[in-house]
Amino acid sequence: MSTDRMHYADEPVVRLRALRSVTLGVPDPVASKDFYNEAWGLGLSDADTDRFWLRGTGEEHHVLELQKAEQNSLGGVSFAVATRREIDDAARRLTDLGIPLLREPGPYDDAAGGYGLALVDPEGRVVELAADVHAVVRQDQGGYAALPKKLAHVVLNTVDIDRATAFYSQVLGMRVSDWSEHQMSFLRCNPEHHVIAFNQAPWTSVNHVAYEMASVDHFMRGIGSLKVHGVTPQWGPGRHGPGDNTFSYYTDPAQLVCEYTSEVIQVDEDSWLCRTWRRTPELSDQWRTAGPPSTSVRSAMAGIPDAGARARVDAKPDYFLPVAEDNGAGLGVGVEA
């Protein structure tokens, strides 16, 4: 692929502070809400018929939003931005670059409140930039209860890993922490090794969503708590190479993949060197406890082809990547995040 096609911006339009939340569309949001609230350990911040906002033990109003959809889909990924002015400035720069906005800057009137905008990336994903979102009271993160602290990262299947990585680094200012050969890229917006990762795949979809536990003890107790609820790991527990984080993967009632993780490495910007990891069993799982991923979790990580918000915005003819369909091709499943 030519360098010209991968050039989106000379400098980022905004400084992202953190990953806030992910929105998932599912056919039965009530069943998914019950799983994440009663078994997974997220608290219920707000509810509106078939739309639910679920929180971790941190101060974010929610880390997961569930909404009604005909099939599994990514409703959007939300990042924290410091001020309203930065969001207004970002909107002008995005418009100048020809990047379509699904939502112009302005106040939100939903449960989380705040001020933000929503852009659409070249594969149709909705990316929200938000400031002044409502906070909730922090819970006791170091207590005995094995509850997710926050959203750790979101892994997304992409039809063009170079284009996806270029867009999120050039436009949104994310930095590439590591590669897993040319199969996965790991991107950060703060000291955490990765908050977004891309996995090369036949079609665009959600690969998995990871939730951070306060410690490896909370991580293991969380696995035990899920077993009490009749939910067993489909891959894990183990410890990845890229990110050095623990992992245990599950599928929710919608057959979307969710992960418990802890102890993700913190990057020192002055000394960190991006490396390319080999895709070997001992680097996918440094503990060598998990064995290979199950067939069912690999299939779930492939996801369902998701055109996203392409049809909801006007964009220049060459902006969106071609929509890839599920033709039965195999998926290079990203399992190192």
Side-chain angles (χ1 to χ4, degrees):
M1 180 169 298
S2 70
T3 303
D4 290 342
R5 284 188 63 204
M6 291 170 56
H7 183 75
Y8 289 102
D10 293 328
E11 59 182 28
V13 304
V14 70
R15 180 184 175 189
L16 304 179
R17 303 290 176 149
L19 175 65
R20 289 190 52 252
S21 64
V22 62
T23 299
L24 298 176
V26 293
D28 188 347
V30 174
S32 293
K33 179 266 296 180
D34 289 344
F35 169 81
Y36 284 105
N37 183 216
E38 297 170 8
W40 196 250
L42 297 180
L44 185 63
S45 287
D46 279 290
D48 183 9
T49 311
D50 55 4
R51 189 177 176 193
F52 304 97
W53 294 262
L54 295 112
R55 60 166 293 180
T57 58
E59 295 176 355
E60 287 287 357
H61 174 270
H62 65 280
V63 299
L64 172 63
E65 179 182 342
L66 297 167
Q67 58 187 22
K68 179 76 173 179
E70 290 185 6
Q71 64 178 31
N72 292 346
S73 58
L74 178 68
V77 181
S78 178
F79 293 95
V81 175
T83 67
R84 298 184 178 208
R85 180 174 180 176
E86 288 180 61
I87 290 171
D88 290 338
D89 290 344
R92 287 190 290 271
R93 293 169 183 158
L94 288 164
T95 299
D96 289 343
L97 292 169
I99 295 169
L101 297 182
L102 180 63
R103 188 184 191 281
E104 297 286 342
Y108 285 101
D109 59 2
D110 63 13
Y115 184 93
L117 64 78
L119 63 95
V120 181
D121 81 2
E123 290 184 88
R125 304 182 192 89
V126 176
V127 178
E128 180 186 73
L129 311 180
D132 298 339
V133 175
H134 297 330
V136 292
V137 176
R138 182 185 295 273
Q139 297 176 352
D140 181 9
Q141 296 179 350
Y144 185 82
L147 305 174
K149 183 169 68 172
K150 64 178 183 177
L151 189 63
H153 59 259
V154 181
V155 176
L156 302 168
N157 294 322
T158 175
V159 299
D160 190 331
I161 195 168
D162 295 312
R163 287 279 296 269
T165 303
F167 183 89
Y168 280 73
S169 56
Q170 294 173 16
V171 176
L172 298 178
M174 305 187 82
R175 282 88 69 200
V176 179
S177 296
D178 282 313
W179 288 83
S180 175
E181 296 184 5
H182 196 229
Q183 181 64 45
M184 294 187 72
S185 61
F186 300 85
L187 289 83
R188 68 186 186 275
C189 64
N190 54 30
E192 296 173 4
H193 180 269
H194 58 284
V195 295
I196 292 288
F198 289 103
N199 174 62
Q200 181 66 44
W203 55 81
T204 303
S205 60
V206 178
N207 186 288
H208 70 268
V209 178
Y211 301 82
E212 182 179 334
M213 308 299 276
S215 69
V216 70
D217 248 13
H218 290 83
F219 167 79
M220 292 303 296
R221 286 202 302 273
I223 293 171
S225 177
L226 287 172
K227 285 188 175 181
V228 170
H229 284 86
V231 183
T232 56
Q234 299 207 23
W235 192 42
R239 184 183 285 276
H240 286 312
D244 198 35
N245 52 302
T246 64
F247 68 87
S248 191
Y249 293 91
Y250 303 83
T251 51
D252 70 12
Q255 293 304 296
L256 288 164
V257 179
C258 46
E259 176 193 3
Y260 275 166
T261 190
S262 66
E263 298 187 341
V264 63
I265 197 168
Q266 301 295 294
V267 168
D268 179 350
E269 293 288 349
D270 293 331
S271 61
W272 185 262
L273 295 176
C274 176
R275 63 180 285 193
T276 299
W277 293 75
R278 292 180 298 116
R279 295 180 67 80
T280 61
E282 64 271 18
L283 296 180
S284 291
D285 176 17
Q286 299 181 85
W287 287 348
R288 303 302 295 272
T289 54
S294 67
T295 301
S296 60
V297 81
R298 281 185 174 274
S299 176
M301 282 180 174
I304 297 171
D306 184 1
R310 296 166 185 255
R312 298 166 62 192
V313 293
D314 293 323
K316 54 189 178 183
D318 60 345
Y319 178 73
F320 288 120
L321 293 171
V323 177
E325 302 293 339
D326 181 354
N327 61 3
L331 178 68
V333 177
V335 292
E336 298 175 0

